[in-house]
Amino acid sequence: MALNVVIAGGGFGGLHAARRLERRLPRHSARITLVTDQNFLLYTPLLPGAASGALEPRHVVVPLREELDWADIRIARITSVDPAAKTLRMNLLDGSESEMGYDQLIVSLGSVSRVLPIPGLAEHGVGFKTLPDAVGLRNRALLPLEAAEELDDPEQRRQYLTFVYVGAGYAGLEGIAELQDYISDVLDRYPRCRLDGTRWLLVEATDRVMPEIPASLAEFATRELRGRGIEIHTGTLLEEVGDGWARLSTGETVPTRTVCWTAGVKPPAVVRRLGLPLTEHGRIETDSTLRVAGQQCVWAIGDSAAVPDPAHKGQRPSPPTAQHALRQGKVVGDNVAAALAGRSLRRFRYRTLGVFGDMGQHKAVATMLGVRLRGFPAWFAARTYHLAMMPGTARRLGLMVDWTVGLV
């Protein structure tokens, strides 16, 4: 009877785990089942480009069936796991419930936006985590321009022409820079809006933007964005959001119709229903081989797993980034195949090779292998990296066309 290896989640980690297992396991002796609630991988580092219109939305998604040869794909939402019985339960597309057994289980459920209980945020804010979020944000940026153009009172127009981003990490910094570029390109078509101009605010609770990059590059990014008229408020919290306004911890009430929340991620709620050991921050506890603590047949990778970070001697979890998840997927594929064959396992040893922060207008900040770049060289390096990492030749060509048109 063929062994059943189940992968829960089709993100960076899940897809690369499935691809590696297809190469490591004999097709006649094993069955690989990828269970995911979407039939595509969203290339999240390029999401700001899709929100700004710089990239076609279809160029930042990867259909899973195009990337896998013989793995079985089940579109379903996982609801729970019983490690003792080696089964997982899920809701299918038609709403019915189903149960599936497994011999080896890889959990790669990704993350969701970490939304704080700020009054009015759920009703009036917008997230920036999924492709519908990106497209919705672009529409949400254009519709206020249309509304403002119809108003005679400049004070009434102000709330439609003010955009607030909360969280100055990758998503917040890149998102506000790309969207400002987009609005600047179309603003000439709105005479009244052009006369008043737009206002952009980036709100960050810590003392600087992008803690993932060196302080010198963060300072360069701050100067660059402020030079474009983006207000950066560090050490500032969002306290409340209302219909047409947002109040900051500085006491300022900002008239705005667009509040975008990008302040961090957390494991999805289903992780707490898997019956697996969790850390204090809600991530699944694993060892350096990606095996879940206390389990022989369950593995965990990606944002929802607390994989020991080799860069810090295993004293803290690996950061929730795409470059870590996809490499964990490759390692867990090797280790599951090794475990089934009775071979020794290998440790996850990847250390961050570099980080990029795209600021639009053909500028970025980056650090690669200890080398710090800024401006156009960093922007070109970031584009080259993403082009190399994007699965599929056709999608790479699509990105090249989009970026080339943007340059022209």
Side-chain angles (χ1 to χ4, degrees), residues 81 106 114 116 121 125 156 168 259 284 296 343 349 365:
V81 170
I106 300 172
R114 179 173 58 87
L116 300 180
L121 179 60
Q156 287 184 320
V259 176
I284 302 171
Q296 289 298 311
R343 301 191 302 269
R349 300 185 182 278
V365 290

Side-chain angles (χ1 to χ4, degrees), residues 31-341:
R31 179 185 179 190
I32 303 169
T33 305
L34 179 64
V35 182
T36 174
D37 59 352
Q38 296 176 326
N39 64 353
F40 61 87
L41 159 72
L42 174 63
Y43 196 94
T44 48
L46 298 181
L47 196 59
S52 69
L55 295 174
E56 285 287 340
R58 60 191 175 89
H59 291 162
V60 301
V61 296
V62 181
L64 296 175
R65 296 186 187 277
E66 290 185 9
E67 295 301 314
L68 297 175
D69 294 328
W70 55 273
D72 184 24
I73 297 177
R74 298 286 302 276
I75 306 301
R77 184 172 59 85
I78 295 171
T79 57
S80 65
V81 170
D82 185 348
K86 291 187 178 182
T87 59
L88 78 162
R89 298 177 183 87
M90 52 192 169
N91 288 335
L92 305 180
L93 287 176
D94 61 2
S96 62
E97 295 184 355
S98 180
E99 187 174 281
M100 177 186 297
Y102 64 83
D103 295 289
Q104 297 285 332
L105 173 65
I106 300 172
V107 180
S108 180
L109 293 174
S111 58
V112 296
S113 294
R114 179 173 58 87
V115 180
L116 300 180
I118 296 173
L121 179 60
E123 294 81 8
H124 304 290
V126 60
F128 194 48
K129 180 68 175 171
T130 67
L131 189 59
D133 286 344
V135 175
L137 183 60
R138 182 171 61 182
N139 295 337
R140 193 170 179 134
L142 281 179
L143 290 177
L145 296 185
E146 300 288 353
E149 196 66 19
E150 298 297 323
L151 298 174
D152 295 322
D153 185 356
E155 289 302 318
Q156 287 184 320
R157 287 200 295 267
R158 179 56 51 198
Q159 62 180 303
Y160 290 95
L161 299 176
T162 300
F163 303 86
V164 179
Y165 272 68
V166 184
Y170 287 111
L173 187 141
E174 294 182 347
I176 195 171
E178 291 275 7
L179 196 64
Q180 190 204 38
D181 276 358
Y182 177 62
I183 295 300
S184 297
D185 287 341
V186 302
L187 197 61
D188 284 343
R189 299 182 176 92
Y190 299 86
R192 285 181 172 177
C193 296
R194 182 180 69 243
L195 182 64
D196 291 335
T198 56
R199 184 186 180 192
W200 300 82
L201 293 88
L202 181 59
V203 178
E204 170 58 39
T206 63
D207 58 354
R208 72 177 179 95
V209 304
M210 292 196 72
E212 304 89 352
I213 64 176
S216 60
L217 292 180
E219 291 172 5
F220 171 80
T222 300
R223 291 195 304 269
E224 178 67 26
L225 294 180
R226 281 178 173 161
R228 296 185 207 167
I230 297 177
E231 303 174 28
I232 299 180
H233 298 262
T234 56
T236 304
L237 301 174
L238 177 68
E239 291 192 338
E240 188 175 359
V241 184
D243 184 16
W245 54 271
R247 189 171 71 246
L248 308 181
S249 59
T250 57
E252 180 183 7
T253 298
V254 181
T256 180
R257 290 277 175 177
T258 304
V259 176
C260 182
W261 179 266
T262 66
V265 296
K266 65 178 182 179
V270 67
V271 169
R272 298 191 296 271
R273 301 194 296 269
L274 301 184
L276 302 175
L278 305 178
T279 66
E280 59 179 334
H281 297 294
R283 298 172 74 178
I284 302 171
E285 186 178 349
T286 76
D287 59 21
S288 59
T289 66
L290 310 177
R291 180 176 267 161
V292 174
Q295 299 289 327
Q296 289 298 311
C297 303
V298 184
W299 316 72
I301 57 175
D303 295 1
S304 59
V307 177
D309 187 0
H312 294 90
K313 300 181 180 180
Q315 298 302 308
R316 65 174 67 173
S318 296
T321 66
Q323 57 179 296
H324 282 81
L326 69 88
R327 289 169 176 86
Q328 289 168 10
K330 295 177 181 179
V331 173
V332 80
D334 289 339
N335 282 350
V336 168
L340 293 174

